[in-house]
Amino acid sequence: MADASTLMRIACVQMRSGLDRPAITRDALALISEAAGQGATFIATPEMTNIVDRKPKRLLETLPSESDLEEVTAFGDAAREHKVWLLIGSVAAKAPGVSKAVNRSLLFAPTGDIVARYDKIHMFDVDLPDGETWKESAVYQPGDKAVLVDASAGRIGLTVCYDVRFPHLYRQLAQAGALLFVVPAAFTAQTGRAHWRTLLCSRAIENGAFVAAPAQGGRHEDGRDTYGHSMIIGPWGEIIAELDHDDPGVLVADIDFERAREARSRIPNLGLDADFKITILNQ
């Protein structure tokens, strides 16, 4: 029988955030309540929970700082009401001292207090084959600190979306004791179809860790298309639970942190890094 101290029921909230922050907050709170009603004690929402707006000028002109975001108060109240750990995958908030925003995860304890903040480190600056171009660094101030939190049954590593393409971040989080990675995302439809599942499973397998990936999905009010397909993945890369669509919804699964510890004892690669040099041979 599993030890209750290592068990956690987790939930991924899938959304389709638009431009109306109060309306988005109401939608998010309803989904959070649904997840709590299914017994989840750790609930995570996607990247850009509070607004999805691809027009930088419009976004920055109307966006307050974190301390003035009314939705932050509402989410803290929800965590306290439901007595859950609540990770708001990220909010957009005005960055202090610069004409940019931050893409910031907020973790609320069951008391309703914010116990961790993580600013997305890796900016999504890409030119995609279909002509779609994103320059996230022009709008958002990147973070420079990785964050881990001891929450209930295990240690959790916080990441956001494009971070998932940088394996060294996850390896260092795992080496620091993370047994669960949370990857809130707003993956483009194109890159999601191609890489979402593979990237998430890879981060789980490489590190012997659980992965919870709550996503934005579908056609948003600002015109962008995101992939959806929120997932919870086990430490052997197995899909524990998945939403097979782009619509808003809730995904719930039970995880046992001891399974991550067992995976690492069977394949102890996290402690076997070797120094090496790269040799380039010109033929």
Side-chain angles (χ1 to χ4, degrees), residues 6 22 52 62 87 93-94 102 113 140-141 167 174 181 193 210 226 244 282:
T6 67
V52 170
T62 61
L87 179 73
K94 183 73 174 64
V102 291
D113 299 313
Y140 294 96
Q141 182 78 19
F181 303 132
R193 284 190 296 269
F210 290 95
T226 54
D244 61 354
N282 296 314

Side-chain angles (χ1 to χ4, degrees), residues 4-34:
S5 68
T6 67
L7 300 177
M8 181 183 280
R9 177 164 291 186
I10 65 175
C12 291
V13 168
Q14 186 160 291
M15 296 180 63
R16 188 177 297 150
S17 298
L19 302 173
D20 183 340
R21 291 191 0 254
I24 297 164
T25 301
R26 289 192 294 272
D27 292 343
L29 291 173
L31 290 165
I32 290 164
S33 179
E34 181 181 339

Side-chain angles (χ1 to χ4, degrees), residues 115-225:
V115 294
R117 291 174 172 85
Y118 167 70
D119 289 354
K120 182 178 179 180
I121 293 173
H122 299 98
M123 298 289 98
F124 186 51
D125 291 355
V126 299
D127 297 305
L128 297 175
D130 66 350
E132 195 174 356
T133 297
W134 296 94
K135 188 74 171 175
E136 196 173 35
S137 63
V139 184
Y140 294 96
Q141 182 78 19
D144 60 4
K145 295 180 178 66
V147 175
L148 297 110
V149 182
D150 287 323
S152 186
R155 183 166 292 177
I156 298 170
L158 306 185
T159 70
V160 175
C161 201
Y162 197 52
D163 284 334
V164 78
R165 293 186 181 273
F166 297 85
H168 58 283
L169 171 60
Y170 293 82
R171 186 170 187 83
Q172 290 181 51
L173 289 170
Q175 288 172 330
L179 299 172
L180 167 65
F181 303 132
V182 190
V183 192
F187 250 63
T188 68
Q190 181 183 179
T191 57
R193 284 190 296 269
H195 297 150
W196 175 245
R197 178 187 293 251
T198 300
L199 287 167
L200 295 171
C201 289
S202 295
R203 298 299 83 84
I205 294 167
E206 292 162 352
N207 299 289
F210 290 95
V211 173
Q216 295 280 355
R219 171 59 63 93
H220 295 261
E221 190 177 355
D222 74 339
R224 87 176 67 185
D225 293 296

